[in-house]
Amino acid sequence: MFPFSFREFLDYKGIKQADSLSTKKRLIVQNAFEEYWETGGFPEVLDSLAIEDQNPPGVFHTILSRDLVERHDISHPKAVADLAHRLVDNTASLYSINSLTDILNL
């Protein structure tokens, strides 16, 4: 499943789109973009966030286990999870193959 585009996300949230935006409408769209950025625009994530007992970290682990570990039959799922957490926690950092290998060897 592909994530929503931002335009599709606005439609999903019921926010009308216009060529010119008032200050209030611009604020609504900016807040919607922050939500879009945090949730990634995945429809299932948005639906699960509407249910209070579901949380985004659970979705993160589900994506890791189903889309990576199970699909590619990865023999060391903990290493993949550790690497994914490291990459997500340090998104602004630069990495090389050697530095990623070092992370996996820890």
Side-chain angles (χ1 to χ4, degrees):
M1 175 184 296
F2 293 104
F4 283 146
S5 68
F6 184 59
R7 187 172 304 272
E8 292 170 329
F9 179 81
L10 290 175
D11 289 341
Y12 175 84
K13 299 296 280 183
I15 299 171
K16 302 287 184 214
Q17 304 163 30
D19 292 333
S20 62
L21 299 175
S22 65
T23 304
K24 181 179 178 181
K25 188 71 164 182
R26 185 183 310 264
L27 181 61
I28 291 170
V29 171
Q30 286 175 337
N31 288 337
F33 182 77
E34 288 177 22
E35 182 180 353
Y36 174 77
W37 185 256
E38 290 174 10
T39 62
F42 286 96
E44 287 184 357
V45 174
L46 296 171
D47 289 340
S48 70
L49 290 176
I51 302 169
E52 292 183 328
D53 61 333
Q54 301 264 340
N55 59 17
V59 172
F60 179 76
H61 290 289
T62 300
I63 290 171
L64 276 178
S65 65
R66 289 186 187 162
D67 291 346
L68 290 174
V69 175
E70 289 177 15
R71 183 174 295 161
H72 299 287
D73 196 28
I74 293 176
S75 57
H76 300 290
K78 183 171 178 356
V80 170
D82 291 346
L83 181 61
H85 282 283
R86 181 71 171 260
L87 292 172
V88 168
D89 289 342
N90 300 293
T91 56
S93 300
L94 295 175
Y95 295 98
S96 67
I97 296 297
N98 289 335
S99 68
L100 296 175
T101 303
D102 290 343
I103 292 169
L104 291 173
N105 287 331
L106 292 177

